Amino acid sequence: MVATRRQPQVLLASCAELPTSNGDDTQLPAALAELGVQASWAVWDAPEADFAQADLVVLRSTWDYTRRRAEFLRWCESLPALANPARVVRWNTHKSYLVDLAAAGVAVVPTQVIAPGERAEWPEHEFVLKPAVGAGSRDAARFDPADPTAARAHLRTLHEQDRTAVVQPYQEAVDAEGETALVFLGGVFSHGFVKGPMLTPATAREASELFVPEGLRPTDPPATMRRAAEDALDAACGLLGLCRSELLYARVDLVRATDGEPLLLELELSEPSLGFRQTDSAAQRRFASAVRGTLARR
Ligand SMILES: Nc1ncnc2c1ncn2[C@@H]1O[C@H](COP(=O)(O)OP(=O)(O)O)[C@@H](O)[C@H]1O
Ligand SMILES: [Mg+2]
């Protein structure tokens, strides 16, 4: 008699407020089931969820970790099988990784990291002040250097909460054409989408929101952007000492500088929205295949 092979069990990690994703990932369990992988949703900090038993835990909508990153990273590090790997998540959940990538030669939006107790040097033109550990645009705001009072107050608030801040010049192209997200699955380019501007001038975001609603649309990114995204991903893998294929998912967010060249705004290796609703349904099949690849390596 031929023994039937046990189906691999995958847990898609979410948070209590969005237990089955924000809608973007809802078809993933079905796409995985087609490939013989049993996938279900589980809230990352729910005591009843048995993450250690899963063949693979995949981070998805775990977006409430930003105010308790240490606890979240301890949880990530406790798991026998996590995608992406815990050390990637540790590096990537603090926006100082942008400084590392800039030092490695990646064209990054100029980024100052300001820890509590440190002073900011405000850029000459309009700028963005946001938390170094943040997601979904929460607590990110845009300021005019002619009126630094509001920016100082926002920085003080972040620092009083013991949060490190990031200052970047506001990238005008975001208003005109948005930012372009390039999604990689299993280290291979899958699809792109555009996200419209998220920040209205000098408006601090509601801290209670998990994410700010996004205006998204599909795009076929031009070669300059595809190449810049590949370069950013290779640089990150070089810094982390891993192969591309070890990254189940990656999202590279690019904006166009005033000279037209792409600049990296964010490299999301932790819990990115992957824009499945903005692209062909085959993207979810590619994701499922990349999960099979991750399971096969273990
Ligand atoms: N330097 C910047 N120039 C223009 N827009 C920015 C800049 N930084 C952030 N934003 C806007 O704020 C949003 C959130 O910032 P981001 O760095 O992507 O952080 P996160 O997505 O982790 O909250 C972006 O999607 C973009 O619309
Ligand atoms: Mg972002």
Side-chain angles (χ1 to χ4, degrees), residues 108-133:
V108 174
V109 171
T111 301
Q112 269 184 73
V113 176
I114 307 157
E118 293 175 354
R119 290 172 67 91
E121 293 210 10
W122 304 128
E124 274 176 40
H125 301 286
E126 199 176 20
F127 61 90
V128 172
L129 181 55
K130 55 191 171 184
V133 178

Side-chain angles (χ1 to χ4, degrees), residues 85-104:
R87 67 195 174 88
V88 174
V89 179
R90 178 174 287 282
W91 177 73
N92 188 242
T93 47
H94 193 289
K95 285 188 167 63
S96 58
Y97 76 80
L98 288 169
V99 177
D100 298 344
L101 287 172

Side-chain angles (χ1 to χ4, degrees), residues 251-273:
R251 198 189 74 210
V252 187
D253 294 345
L254 300 174
V255 294
R256 232 182 259 283
T258 41
D259 65 359
E261 290 301 311
L263 289 178
L264 183 71
L265 180 64
E266 199 176 11
L267 170 64
E268 242 289 12
L269 305 178
S270 309
E271 26 56 40
S273 287

Side-chain angles (χ1 to χ4, degrees), residues 95 98 109-110 127-128 130-131 133-138 140-142 167-172 174-175 179 195-199 214 251 253 255 265-266 268:
K95 285 188 167 63
L98 288 169
V109 171
F127 61 90
V128 172
K130 55 191 171 184
V133 178
S137 304
R138 274 181 304 153
R142 175 175 170 180
V167 174
Q168 293 175 331
Y170 190 81
Q171 302 300 301
E172 299 293 331
V174 171
D175 290 337
E179 61 189 293
K195 191 196 285 191
M198 302 296 294
L199 306 181
E214 299 167 337
R251 198 189 74 210
D253 294 345
V255 294
L265 180 64
E266 199 176 11
E268 242 289 12

